Amino acid sequence: LTFPLLSVTLLVSFGSSMLYGYNLAVVNSPAMHIKAFYNATWSRRYGHGLAPGPLTLLYSLTVSIFALGGLVGSLLVGVLVEQYGRNGTLSRSTLLVLLAGGFMGFSRELGSPEMVIIGRSITGLHSGRCYGTVLSPFLRAWSRMAHFQGAGEDFIFPMATGSMVGNLRGFLGLMPSIFICLGVFFAQVLGLPELLGEDRFWPLFLSVVVIPAFLQLLLLHCFPESPRYLLIERNDISGATKALHRFLGTPGVQDVIEEMKEEQQSLSSMEMVSVWQLLRDHSVRWQTLSVVVVNAGMQLSGIDAIWFYTNTIFENAGIPVSQIPYTTVGTGAIEVVAGLIGCFTIEKVGRRPLIITGFCAMGICSAGITVSLLLQTTLPWMRYLSVACVVGIIAGFCMGPAGVPFLMTAELFTQSHRPSAYIVGGSLNWLCNFTVGFIFPFLQMSAGAFCYLVFCGVCLLVALYVYLVIPETKNKTFMEISHIFA
């Protein structure tokens, strides 16, 4: 990879995937302070505080509305990329983060819980636009990006990696998950009491997202626009040639230009399959079902509950309150290491072993949390088993389920079906994220320690499905994979 190509990849990942991970975990450590703010504001407005049920409902909405914003934002990706290109889309999306940071940063000063909720929804809108996990079925901008044959920088989007050949396909496919892990880890570190974990700092803690977004906005204009966008969308051969010179660091780019011209012609004649057509297409029904299972299972595995409510889980497990922030940071560090292990081993081990092992580990550890919570009153050392099980869930997720479903979604379909497959998988991703974030506190109150058995069942069933149905896709072309399913 050339330095400009690597730089723009890291820059975009820093401002999209990392921010996504940060926003997943940022509501964990200040949960108690935000609830206290909600309760005090309600008491000041209406003369009485919030009951535990409504307070939990309001906070759960604050946590989970991020995913609804992400769903809406991701559905706009196609039209934005087609109209403004990569740089223009990311620049406009970054402005949303600055707006969201203002809402959340001044919410306490203005005594408005509504501003926190609005800010969270706007950050979700930004993540949905930038992360590019949900794609429009009737727009072809994303499908053009997905037909990657060697031009360069578009692998920064998960979908764009799907058509890459060679040993880098799996590695690059998991790169976004590494940045998500880093974003989660940074949120956990900043949430320490010595940094931004105190009550007076929680609005600043939520609005820190403006810093990487602002840096991305400043630096993104130092790089040229996507060559594929310039040539295929704008028919700007001169601009595409200059961009390729810059990204690839070589004067001989005519072969790549000709390749993109051929792609432009093939895509103009290619008929894209809509979501409805995909769901009715019996020739790919097992591939479609597989996308549904692995993408829904990824979010229903319980990982979102861990990220959103880590401190609450540790508190219920009996970990001393003073030790919880540091325990949480430790789990975040292990998460990054596990993600790197998955990233560097996926092309050696394969997709199936990683995702099956990951889901099995998560299922066993979810059951372990239930056992430890039931026995912690009689066996005090069980609290450490709870911590170990949380670490096991995070490590299992980051080694496989974190990134493999995105990669598999691209690898299971040919070009005409792939955008709609991402619509199905991505929509389920965001919706299940919202569901877990919203209902987990209520599930915890009603089922107690047994709530983790729900996640255990989901993980083991998904692992069984992958073992029985989904073939290994490593080093196989899309047509070879289709023939295996057939």
Side-chain angles (χ1 to χ4, degrees):
L1 299 179
T2 63
F3 179 75
L5 180 54
L6 183 61
S7 299
V8 74
T9 301
L10 294 176
L11 174 64
V12 175
S13 298
F14 178 72
S16 56
S17 299
M18 185 177 278
L19 275 186
Y20 171 75
Y22 184 88
N23 283 304
L24 285 175
V26 71
V27 290
N28 174 46
S29 59
M32 177 178 62
H33 308 313
I34 296 175
K35 288 181 180 179
F37 165 65
Y38 285 178
N39 201 37
T41 303
W42 196 271
S43 179
R44 189 165 54 250
R45 287 181 182 179
Y46 304 106
H48 59 84
L50 282 164
L55 181 59
T56 301
L57 178 65
L58 190 59
Y59 183 72
S60 298
L61 179 63
T62 304
V63 170
S64 58
I65 201 169
F66 169 78
L68 287 186
L71 177 60
V72 174
S74 61
L75 291 172
L76 299 175
V77 167
V79 64
L80 290 172
V81 171
E82 186 173 23
Q83 184 173 358
Y84 301 113
R86 182 204 61 211
N87 287 7
T89 299
L90 292 175
S91 297
R92 286 163 174 78
S93 299
T94 301
L95 295 176
L96 290 175
V97 180
L98 302 180
L99 177 63
F103 271 106
M104 295 184 291
F106 291 102
S107 58
R108 186 169 62 179
E109 295 297 325
L110 299 177
S112 175
E114 297 85 357
M115 292 177 66
V116 180
I117 297 174
I118 293 173
R120 284 283 294 171
S121 65
I122 295 177
T123 56
L125 193 66
H126 166 267
S127 293
R129 285 185 177 186
C130 289
Y131 196 48
T133 55
V134 183
L135 311 169
S136 173
F138 49 84
L139 293 166
R140 296 163 57 169
W142 275 106
S143 67
R144 291 164 182 167
M145 283 190 189
H147 198 67
F148 190 106
Q149 295 179 342
E153 81 289 357
D154 283 332
F155 73 79
I156 55 180
F157 298 100
M159 185 175 180
T161 66
S163 301
M164 291 187 67
V165 294
N167 293 330
L168 281 178
R169 190 168 72 184
F171 174 82
L172 295 175
L174 293 189
M175 280 299 291
S177 66
I178 297 298
F179 281 93
I180 293 175
C181 294
L182 287 172
V184 171
F185 179 65
F186 285 152
Q188 292 167 339
V189 170
L190 289 178
L192 291 173
E194 293 83 357
L195 297 176
L196 301 179
E198 295 185 8
D199 177 54
R200 59 189 175 130
F201 291 134
W202 70 260
L204 177 62
F205 186 27
L206 295 182
S207 58
V208 162
V209 292
V210 304
I211 298 176
F214 184 69
L215 289 175
Q216 184 188 60
L217 184 63
L218 290 178
L219 297 176
L220 194 61
H221 296 288
C222 299
F223 298 95
E225 184 54 82
S226 162
R228 264 174 162 60
Y229 170 74
L230 293 173
L231 192 145
I232 295 178
E233 291 291 347
R234 297 303 183 195
N235 204 29
D236 183 1
I237 299 177
S238 175
T241 303
K242 292 179 181 178
L244 284 172
H245 284 318
R246 177 80 181 277
F247 278 122
L248 301 182
T250 175
V253 297
Q254 190 58 38
D255 290 343
V256 180
I257 292 292
E258 294 300 323
E259 181 183 292
M260 288 195 292
K261 287 181 178 179
E262 293 176 5
E263 180 185 343
Q264 184 182 34
Q265 294 176 355
S266 65
L267 287 172
S268 63
S269 60
M270 183 182 296
E271 183 179 354
M272 291 296 154
V273 174
S274 69
V275 172
W276 180 242
Q277 290 172 325
L278 175 71
L279 297 176
R280 296 181 61 188
D281 190 345
H282 293 290
S283 66
V284 293
R285 62 183 180 273
W286 281 105
Q287 289 96 315
T288 304
L289 181 60
S290 298
V291 166
V292 170
V293 170
V294 296
N295 280 277
M298 179 172 64
Q299 299 298 340
L300 297 178
S301 63
I303 188 63
D304 288 317
I306 298 294
W307 278 336
F308 288 146
Y309 303 105
T310 309
N311 287 15
T312 303
I313 293 172
F314 284 156
E315 185 177 351
N316 292 336
I319 303 298
V321 175
S322 59
Q323 298 178 14
I324 288 177
Y326 308 98
T327 306
T328 301
V329 170
T331 63
I334 294 172
E335 177 181 350
V336 175
V337 173
L340 289 172
I341 292 173
C343 196
F344 285 101
T345 60
I346 184 170
E347 287 301 335
K348 294 181 180 180
V349 177
R351 282 72 160 140
R352 290 181 79 248
L354 280 181
I355 197 169
I356 291 172
T357 303
F359 274 116
C360 286
M362 295 176 74
I364 293 171
C365 290
S366 294
I369 293 179
T370 297
V371 173
S372 63
L373 291 177
L374 292 175
L375 298 179
Q376 67 177 349
T377 54
T378 56
L379 300 173
W381 58 269
M382 278 291 175
R383 70 183 66 173
Y384 302 109
L385 177 62
S386 294
V387 175
C389 288
V390 169
V391 170
I393 291 174
I394 293 174
F397 179 78
C398 293
M399 288 182 65
V404 174
F406 296 117
L407 190 59
M408 276 189 169
T409 302
E411 293 181 328
L412 294 181
F413 292 92
T414 55
Q415 180 60 30
S416 59
H417 290 70
R418 197 177 302 125
S420 294
Y422 265 92
I423 278 282
V424 173
S427 298
L428 284 171
N429 237 294
W430 286 111
L431 289 173
C432 292
N433 186 314
F434 170 79
T435 301
V436 173
F438 188 76
I439 71 170
F440 178 72
F442 301 99
L443 184 64
Q444 206 173 27
M445 288 189 295
S446 60
F450 296 100
C451 69
Y452 298 97
L453 294 181
V454 176
F455 303 133
C456 172
V458 170
C459 291
L460 296 181
L461 287 174
V462 173
L464 180 63
Y465 178 88
V466 174
Y467 177 77
L468 296 175
V469 176
I470 301 179
E472 179 56 66
T473 59
K474 183 182 70 170
N475 294 332
K476 290 185 174 65
T477 66
F478 303 120
M479 294 309 299
E480 288 173 341
I481 296 169
S482 297
H483 286 312
I484 293 173
F485 268 103

